[in-house]
Amino acid sequence: MRFRIAVLAGDGVGPEVTAEAVKVMEAVGRRFGHAFDVSTAKVGGAAIDEFGTPLPDETMALCQETDAVLFGAVGGPKWDDPKAKARPEDGILAIRKGLGVFANLRPVKVYAALINSSPIKPKVLEGVDMIVVRELTGGLYFSRPKRRWTTARGRRGVDTLRYTEQEIERILRVGFDLARGRRKHLTSVDKANVMESSRLWREVAVEVSADYPDVELEHMLADNAAMQLIRNPAHFDVVVADNTFGDILSDEASVLSGSMGMLPSASVAGLKTASKRGRRSVSLYEPIHGTAPDIAGKGIANPIGAILSVAMLLRHSLQLVEEATAVEESVEGVLAEGYRTADIASDGGDLVGTSRMGDVIAGRV
Ligand code: NAD
């Protein structure tokens, strides 16, 4: 089959890790007989330098006409001036908005070969394999009113947490759909003990669960979830949370794996390729890390987060499950063989750079 993929490498280590991800995608093409037509475009600081804006219209147009977008990372000290009109990070926010993606998926897996790279005790990490689903477009970060003002008795500030039942339902369905294809266990995170929006969240979760009798639904208060993620992370299969709790818990969960460089993510508008109105939706795939200015240009960044983002792209946007599994197994195999980039080399092993890591993973595919 033939697919169109937009690659927006961005800044810093973005281009270094996406080059390896594309290498692996091409290896998948050769092994399984697919053609990936890759188009590249500028985003972030690189786009500001060339076009004066972090997301040029042509970049957005390209994203909209492809089957999926592979993204690197944007930002860096060069564009950090707080007074600057254009900021690289606005590029990623604008793409998410333009594509209408509302769910952020972050799988967290602890590889047996890397169990000693994590700050958590190896015994606690055995069998950790979860996916955190974060609502991306609503809740506390976006609801209005949101403002600061001064009164006679001092300064005030307000943020608002508002969700509609439709917003809650669609993110929960992403969680249930994912759980159905995994270990069939969904943890829905809220603060229903103190928050009205959370009580609505829980109510909707129970209603939606009627459509998924094969999935076990568990409610967990956010504070308890933060504790259990460290205490007993293997308990979790799929975790679904609102924008704020999801933001915090997904970062917490990422620590389990030992390095930022290892983890992929996807931002999707549901798990079906076509939306209810029959319109095609385009999803965005990117490693969770940023541009790592401290190591950019040295050829030592870990490309695995970007490579595993390709696996997610194959699985969720192209429905190429066998191909996605082949990429994931290659990563696992290469780690088991002892190949290590610097960030995961605390236990020794065969130290390799970005490009060599890409080569050995592509070779194994
Ligand atoms: P970062 O993720 O870039 O780096 C944090 C630490 O992790 C650094 O020590 C870095 O060297 C290390 N690291 C990150 N990716 C790695 C990899 N692939 N291999 C090995 N080590 C890796 O976060 P930061 O330093 O807070 O941010 C740097 C820049 O990236 C900022 O401009 C920030 O705004 C931007 N950023 C962009 C995104 C995005 O594009 N989605 C996300 C986060 C941060």
PDB file of all heavy atoms in Angstrom, residues 87-126:
ATOM      1  N   ARG A  87       6.759  32.452  18.876  1.00  0.00           N
ATOM      2  CA  ARG A  87       7.453  31.462  19.702  1.00  0.00           C
ATOM      3  C   ARG A  87       7.331  30.083  19.047  1.00  0.00           C
ATOM      4  O   ARG A  87       6.249  29.712  18.589  1.00  0.00           O
ATOM      5  CB  ARG A  87       6.853  31.421  21.106  1.00  0.00           C
ATOM      6  CG  ARG A  87       7.106  32.713  21.913  1.00  0.00           C
ATOM      7  CD  ARG A  87       6.596  32.583  23.331  1.00  0.00           C
ATOM      8  NE  ARG A  87       7.040  31.375  23.989  1.00  0.00           N
ATOM      9  CZ  ARG A  87       8.249  31.217  24.548  1.00  0.00           C
ATOM     10  NH1 ARG A  87       9.115  32.190  24.524  1.00  0.00           N
ATOM     11  NH2 ARG A  87       8.575  30.080  25.123  1.00  0.00           N
ATOM     12  N   PRO A  88       8.436  29.312  19.009  1.00  0.00           N
ATOM     13  CA  PRO A  88       8.408  28.008  18.340  1.00  0.00           C
ATOM     14  C   PRO A  88       7.300  27.097  18.862  1.00  0.00           C
ATOM     15  O   PRO A  88       6.625  26.404  18.100  1.00  0.00           O
ATOM     16  CB  PRO A  88       9.780  27.413  18.659  1.00  0.00           C
ATOM     17  CG  PRO A  88      10.657  28.564  18.969  1.00  0.00           C
ATOM     18  CD  PRO A  88       9.779  29.633  19.548  1.00  0.00           C
ATOM     19  N   GLU A  89       7.117  27.111  20.223  1.00  0.00           N
ATOM     20  CA  GLU A  89       6.147  26.200  20.842  1.00  0.00           C
ATOM     21  C   GLU A  89       4.718  26.462  20.365  1.00  0.00           C
ATOM     22  O   GLU A  89       3.857  25.574  20.412  1.00  0.00           O
ATOM     23  CB  GLU A  89       6.221  26.306  22.377  1.00  0.00           C
ATOM     24  CG  GLU A  89       7.503  25.729  22.989  1.00  0.00           C
ATOM     25  CD  GLU A  89       8.737  26.635  22.866  1.00  0.00           C
ATOM     26  OE1 GLU A  89       8.629  27.756  22.309  1.00  0.00           O
ATOM     27  OE2 GLU A  89       9.816  26.205  23.312  1.00  0.00           O
ATOM     28  N   ASP A  90       4.467  27.707  19.888  1.00  0.00           N
ATOM     29  CA  ASP A  90       3.127  27.986  19.360  1.00  0.00           C
ATOM     30  C   ASP A  90       2.841  27.144  18.118  1.00  0.00           C
ATOM     31  O   ASP A  90       1.691  26.897  17.775  1.00  0.00           O
ATOM     32  CB  ASP A  90       2.989  29.482  19.006  1.00  0.00           C
ATOM     33  CG  ASP A  90       3.044  30.347  20.255  1.00  0.00           C
ATOM     34  OD1 ASP A  90       2.778  29.809  21.352  1.00  0.00           O
ATOM     35  OD2 ASP A  90       3.371  31.539  20.147  1.00  0.00           O
ATOM     36  N   GLY A  91       3.910  26.709  17.454  1.00  0.00           N
ATOM     37  CA  GLY A  91       3.743  25.891  16.251  1.00  0.00           C
ATOM     38  C   GLY A  91       3.051  24.577  16.553  1.00  0.00           C
ATOM     39  O   GLY A  91       2.114  24.170  15.855  1.00  0.00           O
ATOM     40  N   ILE A  92       3.462  23.926  17.637  1.00  0.00           N
ATOM     41  CA  ILE A  92       2.866  22.619  17.963  1.00  0.00           C
ATOM     42  C   ILE A  92       1.421  22.794  18.445  1.00  0.00           C
ATOM     43  O   ILE A  92       0.528  22.017  18.087  1.00  0.00           O
ATOM     44  CB  ILE A  92       3.737  21.822  18.982  1.00  0.00           C
ATOM     45  CG1 ILE A  92       3.117  20.458  19.309  1.00  0.00           C
ATOM     46  CG2 ILE A  92       3.980  22.548  20.264  1.00  0.00           C
ATOM     47  CD1 ILE A  92       3.185  19.475  18.210  1.00  0.00           C
ATOM     48  N   LEU A  93       1.196  23.875  19.219  1.00  0.00           N
ATOM     49  CA  LEU A  93      -0.178  24.128  19.691  1.00  0.00           C
ATOM     50  C   LEU A  93      -1.102  24.384  18.505  1.00  0.00           C
ATOM     51  O   LEU A  93      -2.226  23.886  18.442  1.00  0.00           O
ATOM     52  CB  LEU A  93      -0.209  25.310  20.661  1.00  0.00           C
ATOM     53  CG  LEU A  93       0.572  25.106  21.970  1.00  0.00           C
ATOM     54  CD1 LEU A  93       0.521  26.371  22.830  1.00  0.00           C
ATOM     55  CD2 LEU A  93       0.026  23.923  22.757  1.00  0.00           C
ATOM     56  N   ALA A  94      -0.586  25.148  17.525  1.00  0.00           N
ATOM     57  CA  ALA A  94      -1.414  25.487  16.362  1.00  0.00           C
ATOM     58  C   ALA A  94      -1.694  24.254  15.498  1.00  0.00           C
ATOM     59  O   ALA A  94      -2.792  24.103  14.951  1.00  0.00           O
ATOM     60  CB  ALA A  94      -0.724  26.574  15.548  1.00  0.00           C
ATOM     61  N   ILE A  95      -0.726  23.366  15.384  1.00  0.00           N
ATOM     62  CA  ILE A  95      -0.964  22.139  14.584  1.00  0.00           C
ATOM     63  C   ILE A  95      -2.034  21.282  15.258  1.00  0.00           C
ATOM     64  O   ILE A  95      -2.956  20.786  14.612  1.00  0.00           O
ATOM     65  CB  ILE A  95       0.314  21.294  14.430  1.00  0.00           C
ATOM     66  CG1 ILE A  95       1.307  22.024  13.560  1.00  0.00           C
ATOM     67  CG2 ILE A  95      -0.007  19.940  13.806  1.00  0.00           C
ATOM     68  CD1 ILE A  95       2.531  21.213  13.238  1.00  0.00           C
ATOM     69  N   ARG A  96      -1.895  21.118  16.585  1.00  0.00           N
ATOM     70  CA  ARG A  96      -2.891  20.308  17.311  1.00  0.00           C
ATOM     71  C   ARG A  96      -4.284  20.875  17.092  1.00  0.00           C
ATOM     72  O   ARG A  96      -5.240  20.142  16.851  1.00  0.00           O
ATOM     73  CB  ARG A  96      -2.575  20.278  18.802  1.00  0.00           C
ATOM     74  CG  ARG A  96      -1.389  19.398  19.135  1.00  0.00           C
ATOM     75  CD  ARG A  96      -1.164  19.392  20.639  1.00  0.00           C
ATOM     76  NE  ARG A  96       0.017  18.618  20.987  1.00  0.00           N
ATOM     77  CZ  ARG A  96       0.772  18.853  22.051  1.00  0.00           C
ATOM     78  NH1 ARG A  96       0.487  19.841  22.866  1.00  0.00           N
ATOM     79  NH2 ARG A  96       1.815  18.103  22.308  1.00  0.00           N
ATOM     80  N   LYS A  97      -4.386  22.210  17.187  1.00  0.00           N
ATOM     81  CA  LYS A  97      -5.675  22.862  17.006  1.00  0.00           C
ATOM     82  C   LYS A  97      -6.170  22.665  15.578  1.00  0.00           C
ATOM     83  O   LYS A  97      -7.326  22.293  15.350  1.00  0.00           O
ATOM     84  CB  LYS A  97      -5.518  24.354  17.328  1.00  0.00           C
ATOM     85  CG  LYS A  97      -6.816  25.062  17.447  1.00  0.00           C
ATOM     86  CD  LYS A  97      -6.694  26.297  18.333  1.00  0.00           C
ATOM     87  CE  LYS A  97      -8.069  26.910  18.477  1.00  0.00           C
ATOM     88  NZ  LYS A  97      -8.129  28.270  17.992  1.00  0.00           N
ATOM     89  N   GLY A  98      -5.276  22.884  14.625  1.00  0.00           N
ATOM     90  CA  GLY A  98      -5.652  22.767  13.215  1.00  0.00           C
ATOM     91  C   GLY A  98      -6.125  21.369  12.862  1.00  0.00           C
ATOM     92  O   GLY A  98      -7.010  21.188  12.020  1.00  0.00           O
ATOM     93  N   LEU A  99      -5.522  20.358  13.480  1.00  0.00           N
ATOM     94  CA  LEU A  99      -5.906  18.974  13.168  1.00  0.00           C
ATOM     95  C   LEU A  99      -7.099  18.517  14.023  1.00  0.00           C
ATOM     96  O   LEU A  99      -7.650  17.446  13.794  1.00  0.00           O
ATOM     97  CB  LEU A  99      -4.726  18.022  13.392  1.00  0.00           C
ATOM     98  CG  LEU A  99      -3.504  18.218  12.473  1.00  0.00           C
ATOM     99  CD1 LEU A  99      -2.398  17.235  12.847  1.00  0.00           C
ATOM    100  CD2 LEU A  99      -3.877  18.060  11.007  1.00  0.00           C
ATOM    101  N   GLY A 100      -7.455  19.307  15.011  1.00  0.00           N
ATOM    102  CA  GLY A 100      -8.598  18.961  15.866  1.00  0.00           C
ATOM    103  C   GLY A 100      -8.334  17.749  16.751  1.00  0.00           C
ATOM    104  O   GLY A 100      -9.261  17.032  17.137  1.00  0.00           O
ATOM    105  N   VAL A 101      -7.067  17.501  17.084  1.00  0.00           N
ATOM    106  CA  VAL A 101      -6.770  16.333  17.929  1.00  0.00           C
ATOM    107  C   VAL A 101      -7.075  16.670  19.386  1.00  0.00           C
ATOM    108  O   VAL A 101      -6.713  17.747  19.858  1.00  0.00           O
ATOM    109  CB  VAL A 101      -5.314  15.864  17.753  1.00  0.00           C
ATOM    110  CG1 VAL A 101      -5.113  15.282  16.362  1.00  0.00           C
ATOM    111  CG2 VAL A 101      -4.312  16.997  17.970  1.00  0.00           C
ATOM    112  N   PHE A 102      -7.778  15.797  20.067  1.00  0.00           N
ATOM    113  CA  PHE A 102      -8.195  16.101  21.438  1.00  0.00           C
ATOM    114  C   PHE A 102      -7.698  15.081  22.462  1.00  0.00           C
ATOM    115  O   PHE A 102      -7.923  15.242  23.655  1.00  0.00           O
ATOM    116  CB  PHE A 102      -9.725  16.219  21.518  1.00  0.00           C
ATOM    117  CG  PHE A 102     -10.445  14.942  21.157  1.00  0.00           C
ATOM    118  CD1 PHE A 102     -10.612  13.941  22.096  1.00  0.00           C
ATOM    119  CD2 PHE A 102     -10.943  14.749  19.885  1.00  0.00           C
ATOM    120  CE1 PHE A 102     -11.268  12.765  21.773  1.00  0.00           C
ATOM    121  CE2 PHE A 102     -11.599  13.580  19.551  1.00  0.00           C
ATOM    122  CZ  PHE A 102     -11.758  12.577  20.498  1.00  0.00           C
ATOM    123  N   ALA A 103      -7.049  14.013  21.991  1.00  0.00           N
ATOM    124  CA  ALA A 103      -6.575  12.990  22.931  1.00  0.00           C
ATOM    125  C   ALA A 103      -5.084  12.788  22.739  1.00  0.00           C
ATOM    126  O   ALA A 103      -4.617  12.606  21.620  1.00  0.00           O
ATOM    127  CB  ALA A 103      -7.303  11.674  22.679  1.00  0.00           C
ATOM    128  N   ASN A 104      -4.350  12.848  23.837  1.00  0.00           N
ATOM    129  CA  ASN A 104      -2.918  12.595  23.791  1.00  0.00           C
ATOM    130  C   ASN A 104      -2.641  11.234  24.416  1.00  0.00           C
ATOM    131  O   ASN A 104      -3.030  10.974  25.559  1.00  0.00           O
ATOM    132  CB  ASN A 104      -2.182  13.709  24.551  1.00  0.00           C
ATOM    133  CG  ASN A 104      -0.679  13.577  24.417  1.00  0.00           C
ATOM    134  OD1 ASN A 104       0.029  13.407  25.409  1.00  0.00           O
ATOM    135  ND2 ASN A 104      -0.173  13.644  23.216  1.00  0.00           N
ATOM    136  N   LEU A 105      -2.016  10.369  23.654  1.00  0.00           N
ATOM    137  CA  LEU A 105      -1.750   9.000  24.108  1.00  0.00           C
ATOM    138  C   LEU A 105      -0.265   8.855  24.402  1.00  0.00           C
ATOM    139  O   LEU A 105       0.564   9.133  23.528  1.00  0.00           O
ATOM    140  CB  LEU A 105      -2.090   8.003  22.989  1.00  0.00           C
ATOM    141  CG  LEU A 105      -3.522   7.591  22.731  1.00  0.00           C
ATOM    142  CD1 LEU A 105      -4.484   8.725  22.719  1.00  0.00           C
ATOM    143  CD2 LEU A 105      -3.614   6.798  21.425  1.00  0.00           C
ATOM    144  N   ARG A 106       0.042   8.439  25.617  1.00  0.00           N
ATOM    145  CA  ARG A 106       1.449   8.231  25.972  1.00  0.00           C
ATOM    146  C   ARG A 106       1.658   6.838  26.553  1.00  0.00           C
ATOM    147  O   ARG A 106       1.367   6.606  27.720  1.00  0.00           O
ATOM    148  CB  ARG A 106       1.864   9.233  27.036  1.00  0.00           C
ATOM    149  CG  ARG A 106       2.297  10.549  26.505  1.00  0.00           C
ATOM    150  CD  ARG A 106       3.079  11.201  27.607  1.00  0.00           C
ATOM    151  NE  ARG A 106       3.306  12.597  27.352  1.00  0.00           N
ATOM    152  CZ  ARG A 106       4.026  13.351  28.152  1.00  0.00           C
ATOM    153  NH1 ARG A 106       4.558  12.855  29.254  1.00  0.00           N
ATOM    154  NH2 ARG A 106       4.215  14.607  27.878  1.00  0.00           N
ATOM    155  N   PRO A 107       2.151   5.931  25.752  1.00  0.00           N
ATOM    156  CA  PRO A 107       2.458   4.607  26.297  1.00  0.00           C
ATOM    157  C   PRO A 107       3.725   4.679  27.153  1.00  0.00           C
ATOM    158  O   PRO A 107       4.646   5.409  26.810  1.00  0.00           O
ATOM    159  CB  PRO A 107       2.722   3.750  25.054  1.00  0.00           C
ATOM    160  CG  PRO A 107       2.502   4.627  23.882  1.00  0.00           C
ATOM    161  CD  PRO A 107       2.471   6.045  24.341  1.00  0.00           C
ATOM    162  N   VAL A 108       3.732   3.966  28.248  1.00  0.00           N
ATOM    163  CA  VAL A 108       4.926   3.876  29.086  1.00  0.00           C
ATOM    164  C   VAL A 108       5.212   2.406  29.320  1.00  0.00           C
ATOM    165  O   VAL A 108       4.396   1.690  29.909  1.00  0.00           O
ATOM    166  CB  VAL A 108       4.732   4.586  30.443  1.00  0.00           C
ATOM    167  CG1 VAL A 108       5.965   4.410  31.318  1.00  0.00           C
ATOM    168  CG2 VAL A 108       4.445   6.069  30.235  1.00  0.00           C
ATOM    169  N   LYS A 109       6.357   1.980  28.818  1.00  0.00           N
ATOM    170  CA  LYS A 109       6.715   0.576  28.961  1.00  0.00           C
ATOM    171  C   LYS A 109       8.111   0.535  29.562  1.00  0.00           C
ATOM    172  O   LYS A 109       8.967   1.336  29.192  1.00  0.00           O
ATOM    173  CB  LYS A 109       6.716  -0.050  27.569  1.00  0.00           C
ATOM    174  CG  LYS A 109       6.849  -1.545  27.558  1.00  0.00           C
ATOM    175  CD  LYS A 109       6.670  -2.054  26.138  1.00  0.00           C
ATOM    176  CE  LYS A 109       7.431  -3.334  25.986  1.00  0.00           C
ATOM    177  NZ  LYS A 109       6.699  -4.492  25.782  1.00  0.00           N
ATOM    178  N   VAL A 110       8.316  -0.382  30.487  1.00  0.00           N
ATOM    179  CA  VAL A 110       9.656  -0.529  31.035  1.00  0.00           C
ATOM    180  C   VAL A 110      10.260  -1.775  30.407  1.00  0.00           C
ATOM    181  O   VAL A 110       9.740  -2.874  30.556  1.00  0.00           O
ATOM    182  CB  VAL A 110       9.620  -0.640  32.572  1.00  0.00           C
ATOM    183  CG1 VAL A 110      11.029  -0.864  33.101  1.00  0.00           C
ATOM    184  CG2 VAL A 110       9.036   0.634  33.190  1.00  0.00           C
ATOM    185  N   TYR A 111      11.346  -1.592  29.672  1.00  0.00           N
ATOM    186  CA  TYR A 111      12.007  -2.721  29.023  1.00  0.00           C
ATOM    187  C   TYR A 111      12.882  -3.446  30.041  1.00  0.00           C
ATOM    188  O   TYR A 111      13.615  -2.798  30.795  1.00  0.00           O
ATOM    189  CB  TYR A 111      12.853  -2.230  27.846  1.00  0.00           C
ATOM    190  CG  TYR A 111      11.996  -1.685  26.748  1.00  0.00           C
ATOM    191  CD1 TYR A 111      11.654  -0.340  26.705  1.00  0.00           C
ATOM    192  CD2 TYR A 111      11.492  -2.521  25.757  1.00  0.00           C
ATOM    193  CE1 TYR A 111      10.837   0.168  25.698  1.00  0.00           C
ATOM    194  CE2 TYR A 111      10.671  -2.030  24.753  1.00  0.00           C
ATOM    195  CZ  TYR A 111      10.354  -0.688  24.736  1.00  0.00           C
ATOM    196  OH  TYR A 111       9.540  -0.202  23.744  1.00  0.00           O
ATOM    197  N   ALA A 112      12.792  -4.781  30.009  1.00  0.00           N
ATOM    198  CA  ALA A 112      13.571  -5.583  30.955  1.00  0.00           C
ATOM    199  C   ALA A 112      15.044  -5.174  30.899  1.00  0.00           C
ATOM    200  O   ALA A 112      15.716  -5.047  31.928  1.00  0.00           O
ATOM    201  CB  ALA A 112      13.403  -7.059  30.625  1.00  0.00           C
ATOM    202  N   ALA A 113      15.541  -4.895  29.674  1.00  0.00           N
ATOM    203  CA  ALA A 113      16.964  -4.574  29.518  1.00  0.00           C
ATOM    204  C   ALA A 113      17.337  -3.240  30.166  1.00  0.00           C
ATOM    205  O   ALA A 113      18.508  -2.978  30.417  1.00  0.00           O
ATOM    206  CB  ALA A 113      17.321  -4.545  28.032  1.00  0.00           C
ATOM    207  N   LEU A 114      16.338  -2.393  30.414  1.00  0.00           N
ATOM    208  CA  LEU A 114      16.646  -1.046  30.944  1.00  0.00           C
ATOM    209  C   LEU A 114      16.168  -0.859  32.373  1.00  0.00           C
ATOM    210  O   LEU A 114      16.128   0.265  32.868  1.00  0.00           O
ATOM    211  CB  LEU A 114      15.959   0.013  30.069  1.00  0.00           C
ATOM    212  CG  LEU A 114      16.440   0.148  28.641  1.00  0.00           C
ATOM    213  CD1 LEU A 114      15.737   1.322  27.976  1.00  0.00           C
ATOM    214  CD2 LEU A 114      17.943   0.368  28.610  1.00  0.00           C
ATOM    215  N   ILE A 115      15.783  -1.949  33.000  1.00  0.00           N
ATOM    216  CA  ILE A 115      15.097  -1.826  34.289  1.00  0.00           C
ATOM    217  C   ILE A 115      15.974  -1.102  35.323  1.00  0.00           C
ATOM    218  O   ILE A 115      15.466  -0.455  36.233  1.00  0.00           O
ATOM    219  CB  ILE A 115      14.613  -3.213  34.766  1.00  0.00           C
ATOM    220  CG1 ILE A 115      13.347  -3.075  35.587  1.00  0.00           C
ATOM    221  CG2 ILE A 115      15.689  -4.004  35.465  1.00  0.00           C
ATOM    222  CD1 ILE A 115      12.434  -4.266  35.552  1.00  0.00           C
ATOM    223  N   ASN A 116      17.301  -1.146  35.129  1.00  0.00           N
ATOM    224  CA  ASN A 116      18.169  -0.475  36.094  1.00  0.00           C
ATOM    225  C   ASN A 116      18.403   1.002  35.783  1.00  0.00           C
ATOM    226  O   ASN A 116      19.047   1.709  36.546  1.00  0.00           O
ATOM    227  CB  ASN A 116      19.505  -1.212  36.200  1.00  0.00           C
ATOM    228  CG  ASN A 116      19.319  -2.566  36.863  1.00  0.00           C
ATOM    229  OD1 ASN A 116      18.628  -2.671  37.875  1.00  0.00           O
ATOM    230  ND2 ASN A 116      19.878  -3.604  36.271  1.00  0.00           N
ATOM    231  N   SER A 117      17.885   1.485  34.630  1.00  0.00           N
ATOM    232  CA  SER A 117      18.067   2.913  34.282  1.00  0.00           C
ATOM    233  C   SER A 117      17.066   3.798  34.999  1.00  0.00           C
ATOM    234  O   SER A 117      17.190   5.010  34.992  1.00  0.00           O
ATOM    235  CB  SER A 117      17.851   3.142  32.786  1.00  0.00           C
ATOM    236  OG  SER A 117      18.645   2.312  32.031  1.00  0.00           O
ATOM    237  N   SER A 118      16.020   3.191  35.547  1.00  0.00           N
ATOM    238  CA  SER A 118      14.969   3.986  36.182  1.00  0.00           C
ATOM    239  C   SER A 118      15.338   4.302  37.625  1.00  0.00           C
ATOM    240  O   SER A 118      16.012   3.510  38.287  1.00  0.00           O
ATOM    241  CB  SER A 118      13.661   3.201  36.128  1.00  0.00           C
ATOM    242  OG  SER A 118      12.707   3.826  36.947  1.00  0.00           O
ATOM    243  N   PRO A 119      14.881   5.460  38.117  1.00  0.00           N
ATOM    244  CA  PRO A 119      15.141   5.775  39.529  1.00  0.00           C
ATOM    245  C   PRO A 119      14.305   4.927  40.489  1.00  0.00           C
ATOM    246  O   PRO A 119      14.513   4.955  41.695  1.00  0.00           O
ATOM    247  CB  PRO A 119      14.757   7.254  39.634  1.00  0.00           C
ATOM    248  CG  PRO A 119      13.839   7.513  38.500  1.00  0.00           C
ATOM    249  CD  PRO A 119      14.203   6.552  37.408  1.00  0.00           C
ATOM    250  N   ILE A 120      13.354   4.148  39.929  1.00  0.00           N
ATOM    251  CA  ILE A 120      12.487   3.316  40.780  1.00  0.00           C
ATOM    252  C   ILE A 120      13.098   1.919  40.907  1.00  0.00           C
ATOM    253  O   ILE A 120      13.755   1.438  39.987  1.00  0.00           O
ATOM    254  CB  ILE A 120      11.079   3.203  40.134  1.00  0.00           C
ATOM    255  CG1 ILE A 120      10.559   4.581  39.719  1.00  0.00           C
ATOM    256  CG2 ILE A 120      10.096   2.491  41.045  1.00  0.00           C
ATOM    257  CD1 ILE A 120      10.093   5.478  40.793  1.00  0.00           C
ATOM    258  N   LYS A 121      12.826   1.272  42.061  1.00  0.00           N
ATOM    259  CA  LYS A 121      13.385  -0.073  42.291  1.00  0.00           C
ATOM    260  C   LYS A 121      12.943  -1.066  41.215  1.00  0.00           C
ATOM    261  O   LYS A 121      11.757  -1.117  40.870  1.00  0.00           O
ATOM    262  CB  LYS A 121      12.897  -0.597  43.643  1.00  0.00           C
ATOM    263  CG  LYS A 121      13.633  -0.048  44.818  1.00  0.00           C
ATOM    264  CD  LYS A 121      13.258  -0.851  46.065  1.00  0.00           C
ATOM    265  CE  LYS A 121      13.776  -0.176  47.304  1.00  0.00           C
ATOM    266  NZ  LYS A 121      12.745   0.069  48.295  1.00  0.00           N
ATOM    267  N   PRO A 122      13.874  -1.882  40.694  1.00  0.00           N
ATOM    268  CA  PRO A 122      13.539  -2.840  39.625  1.00  0.00           C
ATOM    269  C   PRO A 122      12.330  -3.716  39.950  1.00  0.00           C
ATOM    270  O   PRO A 122      11.489  -3.980  39.089  1.00  0.00           O
ATOM    271  CB  PRO A 122      14.806  -3.690  39.516  1.00  0.00           C
ATOM    272  CG  PRO A 122      15.909  -2.802  39.989  1.00  0.00           C
ATOM    273  CD  PRO A 122      15.311  -1.902  41.024  1.00  0.00           C
ATOM    274  N   LYS A 123      12.194  -4.138  41.196  1.00  0.00           N
ATOM    275  CA  LYS A 123      11.101  -5.041  41.570  1.00  0.00           C
ATOM    276  C   LYS A 123       9.732  -4.399  41.293  1.00  0.00           C
ATOM    277  O   LYS A 123       8.795  -5.038  40.858  1.00  0.00           O
ATOM    278  CB  LYS A 123      11.232  -5.348  43.071  1.00  0.00           C
ATOM    279  CG  LYS A 123      10.412  -6.501  43.546  1.00  0.00           C
ATOM    280  CD  LYS A 123      10.837  -6.874  44.965  1.00  0.00           C
ATOM    281  CE  LYS A 123       9.969  -7.957  45.578  1.00  0.00           C
ATOM    282  NZ  LYS A 123       8.552  -7.805  45.391  1.00  0.00           N
ATOM    283  N   VAL A 124       9.655  -3.087  41.545  1.00  0.00           N
ATOM    284  CA  VAL A 124       8.399  -2.355  41.358  1.00  0.00           C
ATOM    285  C   VAL A 124       8.067  -2.215  39.863  1.00  0.00           C
ATOM    286  O   VAL A 124       6.914  -2.093  39.464  1.00  0.00           O
ATOM    287  CB  VAL A 124       8.512  -0.953  42.012  1.00  0.00           C
ATOM    288  CG1 VAL A 124       7.281  -0.109  41.780  1.00  0.00           C
ATOM    289  CG2 VAL A 124       8.797  -1.086  43.501  1.00  0.00           C
ATOM    290  N   LEU A 125       9.103  -2.248  39.030  1.00  0.00           N
ATOM    291  CA  LEU A 125       8.925  -1.942  37.614  1.00  0.00           C
ATOM    292  C   LEU A 125       8.593  -3.150  36.748  1.00  0.00           C
ATOM    293  O   LEU A 125       8.243  -3.004  35.578  1.00  0.00           O
ATOM    294  CB  LEU A 125      10.208  -1.300  37.060  1.00  0.00           C
ATOM    295  CG  LEU A 125      10.523   0.076  37.623  1.00  0.00           C
ATOM    296  CD1 LEU A 125      11.898   0.519  37.188  1.00  0.00           C
ATOM    297  CD2 LEU A 125       9.489   1.099  37.157  1.00  0.00           C
ATOM    298  N   GLU A 126       8.697  -4.334  37.336  1.00  0.00           N
ATOM    299  CA  GLU A 126       8.448  -5.539  36.537  1.00  0.00           C
ATOM    300  C   GLU A 126       7.058  -5.505  35.923  1.00  0.00           C
ATOM    301  O   GLU A 126       6.072  -5.295  36.622  1.00  0.00           O
ATOM    302  CB  GLU A 126       8.587  -6.786  37.424  1.00  0.00           C
ATOM    303  CG  GLU A 126      10.001  -7.319  37.425  1.00  0.00           C
ATOM    304  CD  GLU A 126      10.227  -8.302  38.559  1.00  0.00           C
ATOM    305  OE1 GLU A 126       9.268  -9.012  38.933  1.00  0.00           O
ATOM    306  OE2 GLU A 126      11.365  -8.332  39.075  1.00  0.00           O
TER     307      GLU A 126
END
